[in-house]
Every structure is written in C-alpha cells, then in structure tokens.
C-alpha cells in the first residue's frame, strides 16, 4: 500500500494506464461470462422474467439487440394526479404508450404544499375499493399488451407526519414504530452512595470504572437495583465510577426495520395487495419503485433483542462497552461503533429489505429505487451499499438533463457485485417544457456509459388540469410535439438497455466505498470526497472502475494477482483505499494478500489507523499495514 505523501492522483492514473486499463470501445467494457446458479444474496428470478439479462458465456446478443425482448423498454413515471381518474382516459394513454414500445408504467402520486407534504390524491382515494377497480382494469390491459404496471412509494411511505398511505397501513400502529436507544449517566466518587432517577423507558443500568478520566470497558450490571424509576447504589472505594442507564424511546409515525418480520408486514399490507387485487396473478405487474425511502432511525436505532443479536454476531456483551456509543472508552471506542453499526445494518437487511426483495424477485418483478443520498452519502440508511443491494434495479435520479458519473458508478457497482439485473436511471425531472430530444439523447448516452441500463423518464402526466397542473415538468410523452418520432428515439435505448444488461461489465480498478469511516466516526466526509474525486479523474482519463463495498472484499479471493469477488464475475488488479482512517480488518488482510500476489494496493490520503479488530492504537494493525506496503521499487 503506497502512502499519499508522495502518491498523487496523477501517479495513480499513470500506474493504472500502465496496466492497460482503459476504454477502447464502449462494447469492450462488457464480457459475457458463465452464468451463476443463483444470485449470491436473496432468491433468484424465474428464467422467463421480463427484463432480466443472460450471463451465459455463449450468448448470441445480436438477435436481442436487433429486436429487444420484453422488459427493456422505457418505463415512465405516470402521475395519477391533477384530475379525477377516468377509465377511458387511462386506457387510451396505455395504448398510446404501447404503440411507442414502452415496457411499462410506474404510477406515482405527487404531494401537496400542506404541512407534512401529504400525497396529492384526487378521486378516488388510494387503495379504496374504487381505486382498485381503476388499477386492476389498467393492469389487465397492460397484461394483454405485454406491459408492466405498479405503484411507486413516492410520498406514500414518508414518515414526516403527513397523511399518506403507509401512515394508515403501518405508521399509526405503535407496535410497528421505530425505537431509539437513549442513555443517561451519573458520576460516583469512590465509596459514594446515592440514588439516581432513571430515564424514561429504562431497561438496563450498568456501572463502569473511570481511570484517569477514561471510562473502562467491562462493567457491573445494576439493572436489578432499579425500583420505581429509582436506582440506589454504593460505589466501591477503589476508583471513580459512572452509572449509565439505558432506555428505549418510541417514535410515533414511523416503521422499525429492525423489528422481526417488518419486511413481511410491508409485503402483506402493501405489495401483496396488488397481486391479490389482480386475481392472484402477477401478469401485468412489474417495475415497483422506492423513491426517497423513509425508514427507521439512524445511529441509535434499537430493538428489544438487539443486545442478544449483538452477542451472537460479535461475541461480546454490548453493555460491557455501550457507553462508547456516546463517550470515549479509549482505543476500543471506534470498534464498538463499527460493530454496533454492523449489527444494526444486518438486522435491517434480514428483517426489512431482504423479504421485500425476495417477494419481487420470486415473481420476476423488477424492483427499483432512487434512495436517499443517491449513492453520494455512503452512510445513508447506515450503509447505502447494503441497503440498496436489495433492489433488482439499484438506481438514482439525474435532474435537469444531466449525467452523473458518481451516482451511475455507485448504482452500477452495486448491481454488478450483487448480480442485480438492471440499473435504474430516473431521468431529468424539472428540465422544463423546452426539453429537446437532442438534450435527452446526449445525457442518456452518457448515463449509460456510467452503467445505467433501465431508462425511466420522470414525466408522464395523466392530466395537466387544463394546463394549470404540472409536476417537475415536463411530460416527455404524448404532450410533446415530437411524440410522433419518439418511437425511433426510444427504440435506440431499448437496444442499448438490452445490450448493456447482458454479461458483466469489466473493470480492473476497485475504489473502496468509504462507509467504515462514518461508522467509526472518523473522517467520513473527507474519505467520500477523495473516493468520488478519484472516480471522476479515472473516468476522465478513460479508466473504468467500480466502487466496492467491504463485504465484497471480504468474500473475495486472490487469484493470479487479482482480487476476485466470488459470485460476482468481478476481478480487480488495483484496490484503492480513499483517505480512510478506518477500515475493516478483513479488507486490510485481503489488501496484504493482493500485494503479496503482485496486485497494486494504493491509499489516497491517510492510511487506516482504526479497524474493527481492536479499534485504535492496535499494534497488530500497524504490523498488517507494514505487510501491505508496496514493494520498494514502487514510489514510496
């Protein structure tokens, strides 16, 4: 691993170019490789699912390129707002879209300007009996035409206090609400005896020794001493002490994704309703979408069994070091924070994200997203990579007719490393009514260069309400003067979507997506800036790369001087740590093995000084870094 003191971006780019890692032609980015028996995470889709690519090594892509199969066409956001729904009007619009080769429609609801931004639903109300009559009639028509239809959760699942569908279905039920871990502490002098008042919702109390002003790991359980919100205790006379009390605060109007079966609850109450109201069939059903998902809490998300799960997964009692979530406990502090974040994210995945993903994938339904942060905030949901890998079409928006290399590479890297079939491009809201096909063509081709493979034009208006209603204009469809020619335009991207979805993209460079510095509460923003700046410089230099998460590195093997990620058809000659003060121990071990095998491991900025092995001030970490340093004949 080369330190940054003399290794700048120009040197890194020069080294990578010497490995002949560059674009020759756009098509050279893609290599058809052997198919996998199953996706590495979650269930597999039916073999005939529309819009799912082939990974077969002997695939002849030409027929599909000439005439793309179902599922590769454009999927617009269809805003059912502005006017009351009318069946004839809805069916005319579906048929007009089908005539231009559109694969499906994504029903959306905007919000009003009222406090809490409630969904702007005209007649009928969403999920009412009359609404289902409209929806199922349109779904039947889509099924006949080979199109997909579903409902976006935009505005419907926001937990900001507004009136919406998820509030009625889930958030108003206290037993489903998110829980926050809270604490309070009291200082005891040696031998001091006193009573303290416990915090609301108290469920545990522990005493910790204080040496030289630093809390010490390992404590004394005082929970049994709590009596009617009071705790009386006499401190031992050998040192100063702190008594910490822990409680749980429920947040009304939210959903707890750490709750067992929380994902199944959402499936039953929301997604399954579409199948049940479509005569028990998935025909005509495709392209569900999470837009700006609101779920759970942040750092202190909690559940009643959290400490039990923590012990199972980490092998030590969380309460022995729980104050480290708020205060310093010496070198172990960042380790505890990383471990807590890891368990929190694992429970969220297993109990919320994965069951919803599995429901869609079992039915061959493409499940996309434009999640908070759009990949630009690695710490979104706790770990953006781990949350967003539970979509069959990880995605993002690019407002105003622009392309975004960072968003594109984050979404496409997730899809590649977890073998998700598509990368969703939510395209060009708020570009305005002057949007031209030329602008759309250039921006979309660039976004596809960065890995997008599912084209979603933001605007398709059910109504403009006499030209007085619009939502993030324009509408790119039958309200535009060039609509008569859009079939040819869209066919271009049907073919590109098909071609660039098949096989697996190839990149020799992996830049670590810097989540661990946020978890350790070190230099997350600085690491993110370094990672994204490097990514932009690499692309400008014609060097393809992927962002890689710590779990993909952990499951990788070293073969022929490369980091080979199992079950992902991905291999890398170069691994870059972007200014990360904190990193996972197993990632550093893999970096060492890659260096030993002749691969190139680089660090832009600070070398890791913290890991989940023992936290900070770890002699073993220094030894490991010494083994990972590149050979002396490389610039130091």
């Amino acid at each position: 691993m080369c330190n940054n003191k003399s290794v700048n971006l120009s040197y890194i780019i020069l080294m990578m170019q010497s490995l002949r890692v560059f674009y020759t032609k756009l098509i050279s980015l893609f290599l058809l490789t052997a198919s996998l028996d199953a996706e590495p995470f979650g269930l597999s889709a039916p073999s005939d699912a529309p819009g799912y690519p082939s990974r077969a090594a002997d695939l002849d892509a030409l027929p599909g390129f000439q005439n793309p199969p179902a599922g590769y066409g454009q999927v617009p956001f269809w805003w059912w707002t502005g006017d009351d729904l009318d069946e004839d009007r809805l069916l005319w619009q579906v048929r007009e879209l089908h005539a231009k080769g559109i694969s499906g429609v994504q029903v959306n609801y905007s919000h009003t300007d009222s406090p809490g931004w409630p969904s702007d639903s005209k007649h009928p109300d969403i999920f009412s009996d009359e609404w289902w009559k409209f929806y199922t009639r349109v779904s039947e028509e889509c099924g006949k035409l080979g199109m997909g239809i579903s409902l976006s959760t935009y505005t419907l699942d926001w937990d900001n206090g507004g009136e919406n569908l998820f509030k009625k279905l889930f958030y108003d039920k206290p037993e489903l609400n998110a829980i926050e871990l809270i604490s309070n502490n009291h200082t005891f002098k040696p031998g001091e005896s006193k009573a303290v008042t416990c915090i609301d919702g108290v469920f545990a109390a522990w005493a910790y020794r204080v040496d030289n002003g630093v809390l010490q790991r390992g404590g004394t359980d005082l929970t049994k001493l709590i009596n009617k919100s009071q705790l009386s205790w006499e401190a031992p006379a050998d040192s100063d002490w702190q008594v910490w009390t822990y409680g749980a605060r429920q947040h009304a109007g939210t959903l707890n994704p750490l709750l067992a079966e929380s994902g199944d609850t959402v499936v039953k109450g929301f997604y399954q309703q579409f199948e049940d109201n479509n005569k028990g069939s998935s025909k005509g059903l495709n392209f569900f979408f999470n837009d700006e998902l609101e779920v759970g809490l942040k750092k202190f998300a909690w559940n009643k069994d959290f400490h039990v799960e923590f012990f199972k997964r980490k092998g030590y009692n969380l309460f022995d070091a729980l104050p480290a979530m708020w205060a310093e406990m010496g070198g172990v502090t960042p380790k505890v924070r990383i471990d807590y974040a890891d368990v929190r994210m694992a429970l969220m995945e297993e109990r919320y994200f994965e069951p919803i993903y599995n429901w869609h994938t079992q039915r061959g339904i493409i499940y996309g997203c434009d999640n908070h942060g759009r990949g630009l905030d690695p710490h979104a949901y706790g770990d953006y990579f781990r949350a967003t890998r539970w979509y069959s079409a990880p995605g993002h928006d690019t407002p105003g007719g622009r392309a975004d290399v960072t968003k594109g590479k984050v979404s496409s890297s997730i899809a590649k490393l977890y073998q998700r079939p598509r990368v969703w491009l939510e395209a060009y809201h708020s570009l305005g009514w002057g949007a031209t096909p030329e602008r759309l063509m250039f921006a979309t081709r660039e976004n596809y260069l960065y890995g997008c493979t599912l084209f979603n034009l933001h605007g398709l208006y059910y109504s403009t309400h006499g030209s007085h209603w619009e939502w993030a204009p324009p509408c790119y469809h039958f309200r535009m003067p060039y609509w008569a020619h859009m079939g040819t335009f869209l066919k271009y991207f049907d073919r590109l979507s098909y071609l660039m979805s098949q096989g697996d993209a190839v990149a020799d460079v992996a830049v670590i997506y810097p989540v661990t510095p946020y978890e350790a509460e070190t230099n997350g923003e600085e690491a993110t800036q370094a990672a994204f700046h490097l990514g932009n410089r690499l692309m400008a230099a014609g060097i393809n790369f992927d962002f890689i998460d710590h779990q993909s590195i952990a499951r990788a093997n070293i073969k022929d001087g490369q980091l080979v990620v199992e079950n992902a058809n991905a291999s890398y000659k170069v691994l870059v740590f972007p200014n990360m003060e904190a990193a996972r121990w197993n990632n550093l071990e893999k970096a060492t093995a890659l260096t030993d095998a002749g691969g190139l491991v680089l660090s832009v900025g600070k070398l890791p000084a913290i890991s989940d092995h023992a936290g900070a001030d770890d002699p073993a970490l220094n030894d490991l870094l010494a083994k990972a340093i590149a050979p002396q004949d490389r610039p130091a």
Side-chain angles (χ1 to χ4, degrees):
M1 182 181 292
C2 296
N3 200 329
N4 72 304
K5 292 182 179 178
S6 61
V7 177
N8 57 31
L9 294 182
S10 297
Y11 167 70
I12 291 176
I13 289 170
L14 179 63
M15 290 291 290
M16 294 174 185
Q17 286 175 329
S18 72
L19 293 169
R20 302 184 63 81
V21 187
F22 54 88
Y23 291 116
T24 54
K25 299 178 181 178
L26 179 62
I27 194 63
S28 69
L29 297 179
F30 294 85
L31 175 69
L32 299 178
T33 53
S35 61
L36 300 173
D37 292 334
E39 291 177 331
F41 296 96
L43 301 178
S44 297
S47 59
D48 59 347
Y52 276 71
S54 171
R55 311 288 185 197
D58 59 350
L59 174 68
D60 180 2
L62 181 59
F65 176 72
Q66 293 174 324
N67 295 290
Y72 289 97
Q74 198 249 137
V75 182
F77 283 166
W78 193 13
W79 299 92
W80 280 15
T81 42
D83 277 336
D84 293 346
L85 298 184
D86 176 82
E87 181 177 314
D88 291 338
R89 190 179 194 173
L90 290 168
L91 294 178
W92 178 88
Q93 293 183 7
V94 166
R95 292 162 187 155
E96 186 71 12
L97 297 170
H98 176 257
K100 294 295 187 291
I102 286 176
S103 281
V105 285
Q106 174 63 223
V107 177
N108 273 243
Y109 282 89
S110 58
H111 63 74
T112 70
D113 288 333
S114 305
W117 287 3
S119 302
D120 185 11
S121 174
K122 300 297 182 183
H123 181 78
D125 290 336
I126 306 170
F127 269 39
S128 65
D129 289 344
E130 190 169 356
W131 186 89
W132 280 117
K133 291 178 182 178
F134 280 107
Y135 185 90
T136 53
R137 178 66 187 92
V138 176
S139 179
E140 288 172 0
E141 188 67 18
C142 286
K144 293 176 183 176
L145 298 174
M147 295 173 63
I149 182 174
S150 67
L151 181 66
S152 167
T153 61
Y154 185 72
T155 77
L156 303 185
D157 65 354
W158 292 359
D159 61 4
N160 55 3
E163 291 297 323
N164 58 37
L165 179 62
F166 273 49
K167 184 175 185 294
K168 298 175 184 177
L169 296 177
F170 311 113
Y171 302 161
D172 281 345
K173 299 177 180 179
E175 68 273 16
L176 298 179
N177 291 164
I179 301 170
E180 178 186 10
L181 177 66
I182 57 176
S183 72
N184 200 359
N185 65 83
H186 308 268
T187 300
F188 281 66
K189 296 178 180 179
E192 183 177 7
S193 177
K194 62 180 178 181
V196 298
T197 300
C198 298
I199 58 177
D200 291 340
V202 64
F203 61 82
W206 283 65
Y208 305 89
R209 188 185 304 274
V210 180
D211 289 343
N212 298 319
V214 179
L215 280 166
Q216 300 301 300
R217 181 178 180 179
T220 302
D221 187 357
L222 306 181
T223 305
K224 292 182 179 180
L225 300 181
I226 298 172
N227 183 19
K228 297 181 180 179
S229 298
Q230 292 286 316
L231 187 154
S232 298
W233 185 62
E234 181 178 345
D238 55 351
S239 70
D240 291 327
W241 292 78
Q242 281 190 10
V243 170
W244 285 66
T245 56
Y246 305 106
R249 178 186 295 142
Q250 185 171 299
H251 285 250
T254 62
L255 178 70
N256 181 7
L258 277 62
L259 183 68
E261 300 183 354
S262 57
D264 293 328
T265 298
V266 172
V267 165
K268 182 179 179 181
F270 180 69
Y271 293 106
Q272 185 61 41
Q273 294 302 312
F274 292 87
E275 193 169 86
D276 292 347
N277 282 278
N278 200 34
K279 300 178 181 178
S281 170
S282 297
K283 186 174 177 59
L285 195 62
N286 207 352
F287 307 111
F288 274 101
F289 192 79
N290 266 165
D291 200 348
E292 301 179 26
L293 173 68
E294 301 273 2
V295 64
L297 303 172
K298 295 183 179 178
K299 177 180 177 179
F300 295 105
W302 183 259
N303 198 56
K304 291 180 180 179
D305 66 343
F306 189 96
H307 62 290
V308 176
E309 292 294 331
F310 188 95
F311 183 80
K312 290 179 182 177
R313 299 161 192 259
K314 298 302 175 183
Y316 64 93
N317 190 332
L318 175 60
F319 292 110
D320 279 345
L322 189 50
M325 294 296 293
W326 293 270
E328 288 295 321
M329 296 189 78
V332 75
T333 302
K335 170 182 168 54
V336 176
R337 293 172 181 173
I338 295 170
D339 287 346
Y340 188 104
D342 188 46
V343 174
R344 181 188 64 218
M345 197 67 225
L347 293 177
M348 193 182 304
E349 289 182 276
E350 295 165 12
R351 296 176 174 182
Y352 179 80
F353 284 108
E354 185 176 3
I356 298 173
Y357 166 85
N358 283 340
W359 183 90
H360 288 84
T361 304
Q362 281 180 305
R363 292 158 176 77
I365 295 173
I366 296 290
Y367 179 39
C369 69
D370 171 38
N371 276 333
H372 274 302
R374 282 85 180 186
L376 303 181
D377 177 10
H379 199 39
Y381 306 105
D383 185 330
Y384 184 88
F385 228 90
R386 290 176 70 174
T388 308
R389 73 186 186 187
W390 294 109
Y391 294 85
S392 51
H396 55 276
D397 67 359
T398 52
R402 296 188 297 271
D404 193 298
V405 59
T406 302
K407 291 180 180 179
K409 293 305 290 185
V410 172
S411 296
S412 61
S413 297
I414 293 171
K416 174 180 176 178
L417 290 166
Y418 290 93
Q419 292 292 282
R420 302 317 187 204
R422 307 293 292 281
V423 178
W424 192 293
L425 171 64
E426 180 191 318
Y428 321 133
H429 73 70
S430 306
L431 179 55
W433 286 104
T436 63
E438 179 186 30
R439 180 81 173 270
L440 302 182
M441 174 64 73
F442 276 94
T444 308
R445 288 194 299 192
E446 185 178 351
N447 279 310
Y448 269 56
L449 177 67
Y450 304 147
C452 297
T453 59
L454 195 157
F455 192 22
N456 157 227
L457 283 169
H458 185 279
L460 167 60
Y461 297 159
Y462 164 72
S463 169
T464 56
H465 198 56
S467 298
H468 292 283
W469 185 92
E470 60 183 15
W471 181 256
C475 172
Y476 293 99
H477 299 85
F478 42 74
R479 302 182 188 282
M480 279 296 190
Y482 44 77
W483 177 244
H485 308 287
M486 280 294 282
T488 301
F489 177 93
L490 293 173
K491 188 70 172 181
Y492 176 94
F493 287 104
D494 293 0
R495 288 171 169 164
L496 201 58
S497 296
Y498 170 80
L499 181 64
M500 297 185 71
S501 297
Q502 312 308 308
D504 294 283
V506 173
D508 284 353
V509 180
V511 178
I512 298 178
Y513 194 63
V515 174
T516 306
Y518 286 96
E519 297 172 333
E521 299 183 34
T522 54
N523 66 330
E525 291 185 4
E526 293 87 346
T528 298
Q529 291 172 3
F532 294 167
H533 180 58
L534 175 59
N536 277 271
R537 288 286 302 274
L538 290 172
M539 288 299 290
I543 298 170
N544 195 21
F545 76 98
D546 290 326
F547 289 112
I548 189 169
D549 61 310
H550 67 85
Q551 290 188 320
S552 292
I553 298 173
R555 75 177 196 266
N557 294 314
I558 308 300
K559 298 178 182 177
D560 301 325
Q562 299 182 70
L563 184 77
V564 180
V565 183
E566 294 301 312
N567 298 323
N569 289 340
S571 59
Y572 305 97
K573 299 176 182 177
V574 183
L575 179 65
V576 184
F577 287 77
N579 193 23
M580 295 171 62
E581 287 189 53
R584 300 296 178 123
W585 180 260
N586 54 32
N587 285 195
L588 295 168
E589 289 181 318
K590 290 293 170 66
T592 300
L594 181 59
T595 297
D596 290 343
L600 184 61
V601 179
L602 300 168
S603 176
V604 180
K606 299 176 182 177
L607 290 171
I610 291 168
S611 80
D612 55 335
H613 178 256
D617 305 320
D618 180 9
L621 175 59
N622 296 330
D623 292 342
L624 191 61
L625 288 175
K627 296 176 183 177
I629 293 174
Q632 293 299 317
D633 59 346
R634 296 177 184 168

